[in-house]
Amino acid sequence: MQFIDLAAQQRRIRKQIEANMQTVLDHGQYIMGPEIKDLEGQLAQYTGVKHAISCSSGTDALLMALMAYDVGPGDAILTTPFTFVASAEVIALLGAIPIFVDIDPKTYNMDPDKLDREIRNPESEERHLKGIIAVDIFGLPAEYDQINSIAKRHGLFVIEDAAQSFGAEYHGRKACSLADVACSSFFPAKPLGCYGDGGAVFTDDDALAEKMRSIRIHGKGSHKYDNARIGINGRLDALQAAILLAKLDIFPEEVEMRQKVAQRYTDGLGSHGSLVTPFVPDEMRSVWAQYSILAEDEAHRTQLQEKLKAEGIPTAIYYPTPLHLQSAFENLGHKTGDFPISEGCSQRIFSIPMHPYLSKTDQDRIVDKL
Ligand SMILES: Cc1ncc(COP(=O)(O)O)c(C=O)c1O
């Protein structure tokens, strides 16, 4: 059994993928070929956002967004410690300081009350708070109505880290349209993934879009050798865009298939008292990048994972160590106990196979073993 079965999806659309790749081989425009514009148009239309700008990865998408806001040494950006390292890594990379805010115990996303408290923390006066990176963990959007209004009150920008949530919904709006800028990833295992690294930034703001387009290509100005600012080599390959175009055709259907798989898990596991299944608030729709469950404690999790492994059922832990306890962020001086909800989740959480092509038989086996 596969944790994410990309081969099943490929069997469905292999011909289209090959045809799209063939087109790139024929025209030879490997960098910024016509597939890029086509993809960006379709991404903008799907998410309902004015500008979708493809780029080389979800990490570079976050970097481009922060650079567009001129984040640098002395600035501080709020984010959660219960996420993939990239969400905070890009902050540190620019010489700014990540300020962690603990998560909501039910959604595992940034807790807006704690965000508000952290901003009001008297120490904040010395920290030059500039913005917030809220993460849509496991494919579920964070609480943007609250986060955006807190940000507005304090003059902060909000970046939606939608690396895991392309295809999710929040109060009738699509993920990637929920903050000032959104950043998504097309890493192969993501709900919409290419066959290598890829990503995109999304915004309705014309000026910010223009700046991010420039940053994506070495800070390009009016022509190729006019460098208006410091940028990066952040383009998406035309070949990856060609693959994404084939996948986008079936993506809305796959999102529905993901809902069915998730619902079957929740129906099957919900009655098992010792496991906590994912919570989805009203008027939200996860895209189920992961289906993650809380065991009673670390020992219980190990026991369940071993039981499943013995049956050939793969599991994974996202994330075993919250970022504030990672060596990479040692300089921030955090210790165990600083973000107890994130720490508790890291000890208890594990994810089970999740993809649109998971069969009922396989799901029944997983539910039965758990
Ligand atoms: C929450 C989050 N942010 C950022 C990233 C970075 O995306 P990429 O791997 O495309 O650089 C990921 C990827 O796993 C992620 O899960």
Side-chain angles (χ1 to χ4, degrees):
M1 196 187 299
Q2 302 288 317
F3 188 68
I4 294 176
D5 192 350
L6 291 174
Q9 182 199 50
Q10 193 187 95
R11 279 193 293 276
R12 247 188 102 182
I13 52 169
R14 174 90 184 215
K15 278 209 173 75
Q16 192 59 53
I17 288 174
E18 284 180 353
N20 289 6
M21 290 175 77
Q22 188 68 51
T23 306
V24 178
L25 297 182
D26 289 344
H27 67 52
Q29 295 176 59
Y30 306 117
I31 302 288
M32 299 304 281
E35 289 74 13
I36 296 292
K37 200 162 177 222
D38 192 0
L39 176 72
E40 291 179 346
Q42 292 198 32
L43 293 174
Q45 193 176 17
Y46 180 83
T47 53
V49 176
K50 195 166 173 195
H51 305 279
I53 302 160
S54 62
C55 65
S56 41
S57 68
T59 306
D60 284 342
L62 289 166
L63 191 60
M64 282 163 47
L66 290 179
M67 287 172 80
Y69 279 112
D70 297 316
V71 169
D75 294 332
I77 307 289
L78 298 131
T79 191
T80 111
F82 190 69
T83 177
F84 181 64
V85 65
S87 315
E89 184 182 37
V90 287
I91 302 168
L93 199 60
L94 290 173
I97 301 166
I99 309 270
F100 294 120
V101 174
D102 212 352
I103 53 170
D104 176 283
K106 282 168 87 177
T107 62
Y108 316 131
N109 279 328
M110 180 182 274
D111 183 330
D113 293 334
K114 289 180 185 144
L115 172 69
D116 198 36
R117 232 173 293 145
E118 186 58 49
I119 295 172
R120 290 169 191 278
N121 178 345
E123 277 179 31
S124 291
E125 307 230 325
E126 291 144 43
R127 309 180 294 203
H128 187 227
L129 290 184
K130 209 157 179 186
I132 300 164
I133 299 181
V135 184
D136 301 345
I137 207 75
F138 304 143
L140 179 75
E143 263 301 347
Y144 286 99
D145 284 349
Q146 289 183 63
I147 292 171
N148 287 336
S149 81
I150 293 167
K152 207 167 177 186
R153 268 204 309 276
H154 297 280
L156 304 173
F157 64 76
V158 181
I159 294 175
E160 176 187 2
D161 182 344
Q164 304 183 8
S165 65
F166 185 86
E169 285 178 29
Y170 178 92
H171 298 259
R173 283 176 289 147
K174 286 272 195 309
C176 297
S177 74
L178 306 174
D180 297 311
V181 187
C183 303
S184 196
S185 164
F186 303 131
F187 183 82
K190 294 290 191 276
L192 178 68
C194 53
Y195 289 157
D197 280 307
V201 290
F202 300 79
T203 187
D204 283 331
D205 184 318
D206 296 341
L208 217 49
E210 196 186 323
K211 211 164 164 188
M212 290 192 291
R213 280 199 183 95
S214 161
I215 289 167
R216 169 176 66 174
I217 309 183
H218 301 287
K220 185 171 167 276
S222 57
H223 63 84
K224 193 171 173 187
Y225 298 109
D226 173 29
N227 308 110
R229 54 179 64 78
I230 295 297
I232 62 170
N233 177 358
R235 294 166 297 225
L236 180 73
D237 293 336
L239 274 168
Q240 297 301 346
I243 291 157
L244 286 165
L245 283 166
K247 292 197 180 197
L248 253 181
D249 286 344
I250 57 164
F251 185 71
E253 186 192 338
E254 287 188 337
V255 172
E256 298 310 316
M257 291 159 82
R258 286 176 177 277
Q259 301 306 322
K260 291 207 175 94
V261 171
Q263 192 57 53
R264 264 205 306 274
Y265 270 145
T266 302
D267 292 345
L269 297 170
S271 55
H272 194 299
S274 66
L275 293 175
V276 181
T277 53
F279 171 73
V280 179
D282 287 345
E283 296 192 58
M284 282 208 215
R285 206 175 195 215
S286 176
V287 69
W288 304 105
Q290 301 297 337
Y291 189 95
S292 305
I293 306 171
L294 285 184
E296 284 168 23
D297 52 31
E298 203 164 359
H300 183 220
R301 173 173 74 183
T302 306
Q303 186 198 335
L304 290 171
Q305 283 192 287
E306 281 173 2
K307 203 164 160 187
L308 292 174
K309 193 174 173 198
E311 296 292 324
I313 301 168
T315 59
I317 299 176
Y318 303 112
Y319 295 92
T321 308
L323 297 187
H324 67 286
L325 300 179
Q326 294 280 1
S327 312
F329 294 108
E330 227 169 47
N331 62 316
L332 298 176
H334 288 298
K335 57 182 184 324
T336 303
D338 282 356
F339 302 99
I341 311 293
S342 296
E343 291 166 22
C345 280
S346 288
Q347 284 166 359
R348 292 170 59 200
I349 210 149
F350 68 109
S351 306
I352 54 180
M354 177 74 216
H355 59 85
Y357 304 95
L358 193 60
S359 72
K360 278 187 186 165
T361 323
D362 281 349
Q363 271 204 284
D364 287 346
R365 264 184 64 214
I366 298 166
V367 169
D368 187 48
K369 287 299 148 201
L370 282 171

